[in-house]
Amino acid sequence: MSLSLFPAIRLLCRTVNARHFWPVVVLLLACFGAVLVVLAVTTRAQDDLQAAQETQALQNAVQSLKHNIRHDLQDYAKWDDAVRHISKNLDADWVDDNVVAYLGRQQGYEQILVLDARNRAIFEFARNPAEVSEAKIVSDPELLRSAKRVRNMPRTGSPIEAGFSRVNGKLINYAVAAVVPLTSKVTIPANLPSHILILADTVDNGKLAHLNENLRLSDLRLTLGHPNAALRSLALTDTDGSVLGWLQWTPRRPGTDLLRRVAPIIIGLAICSVLAALLILQNGLRAVEAVRQSELRARHHADHDALTGLPNRRALLSRISAQLALGDDPTLLFMDMDGFKDANDVYGHAAGDLLLKEAAARLLLCTQGAFVARAGGDEFAVLLSGDKSHEADTICERIIDAVRLPFSIGHYTVTLGISIGCARGEMLGAEGQDELIRRADVAMYCAKNDGKNCKRIYAPALDEGHLLRMKLESDLRAAIERDELYVHFQPIVSAAHNIMVGVEALVRWRHPEHGDVPPDVFIPIAELSGLINAVGKHVLRHACLSVRETALELAVNISPVQFWDRNLLDDVRDVLQETGFPPERLELEITESLLLRRPDKAAEVISGLRSLGIRIALDDFGTGYASIGYLQRLKLDRIKIDKAFVAPLGNEERACEMILSIVALANAFDAQVTAEGVETESQAQIAKVAGCSRMQGWYFGKPVAAGKLMTLLDPRLISNVA
Ligand code: C2E
Ligand code: MG
Ligand code: MG
């Protein structure tokens, strides 16, 4: 049992924390120790009681030895006939017939002696005659002292004495009596010393066995030398109290016997209790540990983002306030992924999740131990302590470079960017966490507004622009709800026939306070705030309704955010159905920038739109970074050369070559070309000669309301172009 017990205890000790293990073990051991002490005391008391009882019984037996020999001798010594046959003249035959016959032969006493007045043995009997000379009890001083004492006793009483003595190395039990008359019929002169009758018996182990019959003492024996201290002893003394020998025996120990029987049970119980207690403790601790772990998990969940494992906004806030409370001047980098919403829409949420996880991992790599949090959606934050604030610029650059690298999501490669707003916590005080986040947020919006994928540092001056943007955003929302946006149309002229063949729809917003807000200003706001889809749909529906009754072609701008919206196809189909506008007269203008990130997916969206029967034009060609490779993959119907390339026509020789090259490129892809921003006659001439099939610009007409369109078709203008 012990072999299997110790590994089990060791295992328990390992699993049960020492802090809890030892107190329980000590407590249990103390309890069982107390039980054992009580048992030991009880055992001892019971053993002592038994020993005392045995000693008392033996003492009584020893007394009865003396009593019996005295009793046996008494009647023979105080007897008229004894006086007559011993004290007057010794009649040895009478003694033999009357005394020895009974006491010696029948009772079995070993020696019977008669001493005369001068203590000479005048009669001797020995059951074993050889022992008589050896015994020499007649010269034993103890017996002679006894004889003297009994002679001095009054003869009318019972002059007799019994005791023990050691004679010649043997212990004897004896009785000494003066021979005196029982009645007054016989007298002994008072001055004549009495004769003495002696009865003696050897006390040895054989006799003790007989004595022990009733007592049943274990291993009772007589020891004349030094007693064995381990055994129980009773001293046998002479009449003076001198020790003659020891009666020794092994006392019975009922308490110890009982203890021996119950001890294994108690020890077993103790071990079982300790093990049970430890098991209960272990289970209890496991339960406590499980609760603690789940608490930790709950706390972790409350403070961490489940997807990326990064601390969440709540944790960010408490971290900022803790650092501000310490008087630290932390720097907060607040960032938003550029293009994430598009990617999420296009590739689905699972891909979006992978993008966020990968972005989080890159941020951690770039920030080397700084506090990185996911503030929500595609927003992240990096908090730098005051002593690391000087590294903010470097860290921003590292982050921008890291996020710019393509992300591999399954079969796709996605390119994203990140806009970072940077704010310092100087002078904000302990309660400034919200203000710090607000400032970093303002700076981040500024970065978005300034072209994205860059960083901006907060300065109070930014607040003004930010507030204006916020105000414009809410005003724009209200304007959409109140249907205050309207559309102007700019003519598009056929270079071959010199007539207006189409129009481009351009959205307009007249702000009640700020007047006309250019689309370059409010379209980015609409894109950032998620209002662009509503704006886009509004413009498309309006434009289709306005131009439906003419034979004109209609070009409508589609923002990149709109392009990547998964509802785009449905929205366009709905508007076409709703307005009854023929799809073959509709051309959607997209920009180069959206081709950069996901050319494959862009090709998919384009072919979806083309399947409705509408055409796709690439707007502002030359201002973005679209490569020939990208263009080749897309089925584009038209390329619109940006006004930046048209403006120098007629002034710069190379400008004409550029236009020729773009036209050649477009022709190679089976795409038509439109020259945008044509402001002069010569620009129109050159564009036409260069091969542009359509032209658009102030030279032909500025954007006007639908009702004014016809007035723009001035025949003079058109003939000039010809
Ligand atoms: P865009 O699509 O390239 O539109 C042409 C812009 O060039 C228009 O500016 C137009 O007024 C201007 N323009 C036309 N001819 C000339 C010219 O000869 N000289 C000069 N200097 N400019 C000329 P606008 O209306 O301010 O629009 C600016 C941009 O705003 C548009 O560029 C387009 O990207 C965006 N936008 C306008 N309306 C919408 C819309 O409904 N939806 C979307 N998504 N974007 C729109
Ligand atoms: Mg356009
Ligand atoms: Mg354009």
Side-chain angles (χ1 to χ4, degrees):
M1 180 193 167
S2 60
L3 278 178
S4 58
L5 193 62
F6 287 118
I9 291 176
R10 268 204 299 276
L11 186 73
L12 271 175
C13 296
R14 268 204 300 275
T15 49
V16 175
N17 191 324
R19 198 154 50 90
H20 306 286
F21 173 78
W22 289 115
V24 171
V25 170
V26 167
L27 184 70
L28 284 170
L29 290 181
C31 289
F32 281 101
V35 170
L36 284 177
V37 167
V38 169
L39 267 177
V41 169
T42 319
T43 303
R44 182 72 183 268
Q46 220 174 342
D47 288 352
D48 288 351
L49 182 66
Q50 176 69 24
Q53 283 173 350
E54 287 179 358
T55 306
Q56 185 60 51
L58 189 58
Q59 246 165 5
N60 293 344
V62 169
Q63 285 304 323
S64 72
L65 269 183
K66 286 199 270 186
H67 174 79
N68 290 344
I69 199 167
R70 178 192 170 112
H71 181 265
D72 285 343
L73 186 61
Q74 194 168 351
D75 291 345
Y76 289 92
K78 193 173 176 73
W79 189 14
D80 292 352
D81 279 354
V83 174
R84 279 187 208 108
H85 297 284
I86 293 174
S87 299
K88 305 283 183 191
N89 279 312
L90 178 73
D91 181 351
D93 290 338
W94 182 89
V95 174
D96 193 61
D97 289 345
N98 290 283
V99 180
V100 174
Y102 177 73
L103 291 175
R105 297 197 187 90
Q106 196 173 331
Q107 290 293 83
Y109 284 103
E110 287 174 357
Q111 293 190 47
I112 301 168
L113 277 85
V114 177
L115 303 185
D116 65 6
R118 285 190 284 174
N119 283 343
R120 284 176 306 191
I122 53 174
F123 180 89
E124 285 185 65
F125 164 80
R127 277 207 313 136
N128 183 2
E131 283 182 6
V132 176
S133 55
E134 273 176 36
K136 295 255 186 301
I137 62 171
V138 71
S139 55
D140 179 50
E142 172 66 11
L143 261 71
L144 294 177
R145 273 197 299 276
S146 274
K148 192 177 175 187
R149 278 194 296 271
V150 294
R151 279 194 183 106
N152 290 336
M153 290 177 193
R155 286 176 178 163
T156 51
S158 229
I160 186 165
E161 199 176 274
F164 294 100
S165 183
R166 237 165 91 174
V167 180
N168 206 23
K170 287 192 173 182
L171 187 82
I172 58 162
N173 178 22
Y174 69 86
V176 175
V179 179
V180 293
L182 180 65
T183 65
S184 54
K185 290 176 195 165
V186 182
T187 53
I188 303 172
N191 58 347
L192 190 71
S194 304
H195 278 65
I196 296 292
L197 198 55
I198 298 176
L199 192 57
D201 213 7
T202 310
V203 179
D204 57 16
N205 286 329
K207 298 255 172 43
L208 285 178
H210 181 67
L211 178 78
N212 196 25
E213 260 171 25
N214 292 332
L215 300 179
R216 295 176 189 282
L217 297 180
S218 164
D219 211 11
L220 179 67
R221 80 185 74 112
L222 177 69
T223 304
L224 299 179
H226 287 295
N228 184 347
L231 300 174
R232 190 86 183 168
S233 308
L234 177 68
L236 293 176
T237 55
D238 60 15
T239 46
D240 293 339
S242 304
V243 175
L244 302 169
W246 303 87
L247 289 177
Q248 290 209 291
W249 74 103
T250 309
R252 272 186 287 139
R253 296 175 188 275
T256 308
D257 291 347
L258 183 69
L259 183 64
R260 250 185 226 128
R261 252 174 273 145
V262 297
I265 300 170
I266 291 175
I267 291 171
L269 273 176
I271 291 170
C272 289
S273 307
V274 169
L275 288 179
L278 289 179
L279 279 174
I280 292 167
L281 183 68
Q282 188 192 33
N283 285 341
L285 288 178
R286 270 203 197 128
V288 169
E289 181 61 16
V291 171
R292 204 175 65 87
Q293 289 295 338
S294 80
E295 250 180 48
L296 282 178
R297 270 198 302 276
R299 208 171 295 160
H300 184 86
H301 283 151
D303 286 345
H304 286 79
D305 165 50
L307 177 69
T308 59
L310 291 178
N312 58 18
R313 194 181 186 95
R314 189 183 120 112
L316 174 68
L317 272 169
S318 55
R319 183 65 171 244
I320 295 174
S321 56
Q323 281 190 229
L324 288 173
L326 285 174
D328 192 20
D329 285 340
T331 293
L332 178 64
L333 309 179
F334 204 79
M335 48 202 90
D336 184 280
M337 311 279 295
D338 301 326
F340 173 78
K341 285 187 183 70
D342 302 345
N344 203 32
D345 280 348
V346 171
Y347 298 110
H349 291 291
D353 286 353
L354 289 176
L355 280 174
L356 288 172
K357 277 166 109 168
E358 173 64 19
R362 292 187 190 182
L363 284 183
L364 284 171
L365 272 179
C366 299
T367 47
Q368 289 166 349
F371 184 84
V372 181
R374 183 181 172 199
D378 59 346
E379 290 174 346
F380 292 92
V382 175
L383 187 68
L384 302 172
S385 54
D387 57 330
K388 293 269 162 95
S389 291
H390 63 279
E391 294 176 16
D393 280 353
T394 323
I395 290 176
C396 286
E397 277 163 27
R398 261 193 249 138
I399 292 174
I400 289 170
D401 288 346
V403 176
R404 190 180 280 151
L405 294 173
F407 290 76
S408 289
I409 305 295
H411 304 301
Y412 304 107
T413 301
V414 180
T415 313
L416 298 175
I418 196 159
S419 300
I420 309 178
C422 175
R424 293 201 61 184
E426 293 164 310
M427 315 289 288
L428 279 180
E431 300 295 315
Q433 70 269 23
D434 290 334
E435 176 59 14
L436 183 64
I437 290 186
R438 190 196 71 79
R439 289 180 181 182
D441 199 38
V442 166
M444 190 269 287
Y445 264 91
C446 212
K448 286 265 180 211
N449 218 42
D450 290 356
K452 302 181 177 174
N453 212 22
C454 59
K455 84 142 202 257
R456 290 290 174 267
I457 297 170
Y458 172 81
L462 296 185
D463 279 338
E464 214 175 302
H466 186 72
L467 285 174
L468 181 63
R469 260 196 310 280
M470 293 290 118
K471 172 88 172 41
L472 280 180
E473 185 182 315
S474 74
D475 290 349
L476 180 61
R477 198 179 297 274
I480 294 168
E481 280 165 14
R482 292 199 295 260
D483 208 11
E484 286 173 5
L485 297 183
Y486 59 98
V487 183
H488 273 183
F489 297 90
Q490 184 172 34
I492 297 172
V493 173
S494 156
H497 305 101
N498 302 321
I499 51 167
M500 181 172 74
V501 289
V503 285
E504 179 177 356
L506 297 161
V507 67
R508 296 289 178 259
W509 178 27
R510 179 157 302 147
H511 191 278
E513 284 172 50
H514 307 293
D516 288 334
V517 182
D520 288 336
V521 172
F522 72 84
I523 291 290
I525 293 175
E527 284 178 337
L528 281 177
S529 58
L531 294 169
I532 190 66
N533 289 332
V535 172
K537 212 169 167 182
H538 174 87
V539 172
L540 184 62
R541 186 188 296 111
H542 243 266
C544 285
L545 287 174
S546 305
V547 182
R548 185 178 57 184
E549 305 306 331
T550 70
L552 292 171
E553 291 170 356
L554 172 65
V556 177
N557 294 286
I558 295 288
S559 121
V561 176
Q562 237 182 312
F563 181 84
W564 291 121
D565 188 274
R566 59 179 63 195
N567 297 322
L568 175 69
L569 199 62
D570 291 340
D571 285 351
V572 173
R573 191 189 289 118
D574 289 350
V575 172
L576 288 176
Q577 265 179 10
E578 184 194 327
T579 57
F581 192 86
E584 62 279 3
R585 278 169 51 201
L586 179 63
E587 192 169 86
L588 296 183
E589 296 186 5
I590 60 173
T591 53
E592 282 174 274
S593 60
L594 58 84
L595 303 178
L596 280 176
R597 286 191 183 139
R598 293 173 284 275
D600 295 334
K601 195 71 192 174
E604 218 177 291
V605 178
I606 288 171
S607 75
L609 290 169
R610 291 179 94 234
S611 70
L612 295 178
I614 60 182
R615 283 166 289 128
I616 303 296
L618 186 62
D619 201 1
D620 304 337
F621 183 76
T623 56
Y625 307 94
S627 72
I628 296 175
Y630 290 153
L631 298 179
Q632 201 175 11
R633 266 190 264 172
L634 305 172
K635 289 259 177 291
L636 293 170
D637 298 285
R638 177 172 301 282
I639 286 175
K640 294 184 81 170
I641 303 175
D642 192 72
K643 51 184 173 281
F645 294 92
V646 175
L649 285 178
N651 300 325
E652 292 175 26
E653 211 168 297
R654 292 183 62 191
C656 187
E657 287 169 23
M658 290 283 280
I659 301 288
L660 282 170
S661 312
I662 294 171
V663 171
L665 182 73
N667 288 343
F669 301 136
D670 291 333
Q672 302 273 310
V673 180
T674 299
E676 276 192 290
V678 178
E679 292 183 355
T680 64
E681 185 186 343
S682 66
Q683 287 168 353
Q685 293 285 8
I686 295 169
K688 181 183 174 183
V689 171
C692 296
S693 62
R694 299 272 191 271
M695 286 180 284
Q696 178 182 356
W698 292 346
Y699 178 68
F700 301 104
K702 290 194 172 183
V704 290
K708 286 195 183 166
L709 262 181
M710 296 316 289
T711 60
L712 289 174
L713 298 172
D714 186 334
R716 188 174 46 84
L717 262 177
I718 295 167
S719 64
N720 279 346
V721 176

